[in-house]
Amino acid sequence: MIQNSARNLETAYRLFVGKPLDLDTFARRYIEPVLVASNQKWRWWHPFRRGLATNLHRLEVDDKTIQTILRLSSVHTTREIYIKGLDGDAVAAMKRLEAAMQPGRPN
């Protein structure tokens, strides 16, 4: 089923190249079936955009670039609403801070 859905996505891409894309129709026809096949639920575009922003941030993409990709009006909105911390981020940050503050470590 997932392989068929992947083929459907490829077909959809060929059909939509050079044409305006209705994202809601695209989601219903091509994204939802893939998720249903893997027992997942499509929660529409906002969570998708948050996940994209978060993953780009974790890949060390500049926040201003993420803002541009998501077509947001301000980098503040990008940081405060779209980029989410993931479990372990705060712990990892504190460990880096602790290591940086070790005696004998150059500033």
Side-chain angles (χ1 to χ4, degrees), residues 60-77:
E60 300 179 2
V61 174
D62 180 68
D63 293 351
K64 186 73 175 160
T65 303
I66 297 169
Q67 173 198 350
T68 302
I69 290 169
L70 295 179
R71 301 174 66 185
L72 297 169
S73 61
S74 76
V75 75
H76 177 77
T77 299

Side-chain angles (χ1 to χ4, degrees), residues 89-103 105:
D89 285 352
V91 172
M94 293 306 291
K95 285 183 180 181
R96 287 195 309 270
L97 177 62
E98 180 182 2
M101 296 176 65
Q102 293 298 317
R105 182 180 166 97

Side-chain angles (χ1 to χ4, degrees), residues 6-96:
R7 266 187 256 123
N8 286 343
L9 283 173
E10 185 179 324
T11 301
Y13 176 76
R14 283 193 304 252
L15 291 174
F16 289 114
V17 170
K19 299 177 184 177
L21 180 61
D22 178 345
L23 293 177
D24 291 335
T25 299
F26 182 83
R28 273 193 299 279
R29 288 184 185 170
Y30 303 102
I31 295 175
E32 286 182 19
V34 171
L35 294 174
V36 166
S38 61
N39 206 26
Q40 305 266 337
K41 183 177 179 182
W42 175 242
R43 301 191 189 280
W44 292 99
W45 294 108
H46 191 70
F48 174 81
R49 289 166 54 86
R50 280 196 320 255
L52 176 62
T54 300
N55 285 310
L56 289 170
H57 184 75
R58 290 179 65 82
L59 292 170
E60 300 179 2
V61 174
D62 180 68
D63 293 351
K64 186 73 175 160
T65 303
I66 297 169
Q67 173 198 350
T68 302
I69 290 169
L70 295 179
R71 301 174 66 185
L72 297 169
S73 61
S74 76
V75 75
H76 177 77
T77 299
T78 305
R79 289 181 183 130
E80 296 300 315
I81 296 174
Y82 285 87
I83 296 172
K84 301 296 179 187
L86 300 175
D87 293 342
D89 285 352
V91 172
M94 293 306 291
K95 285 183 180 181
R96 287 195 309 270

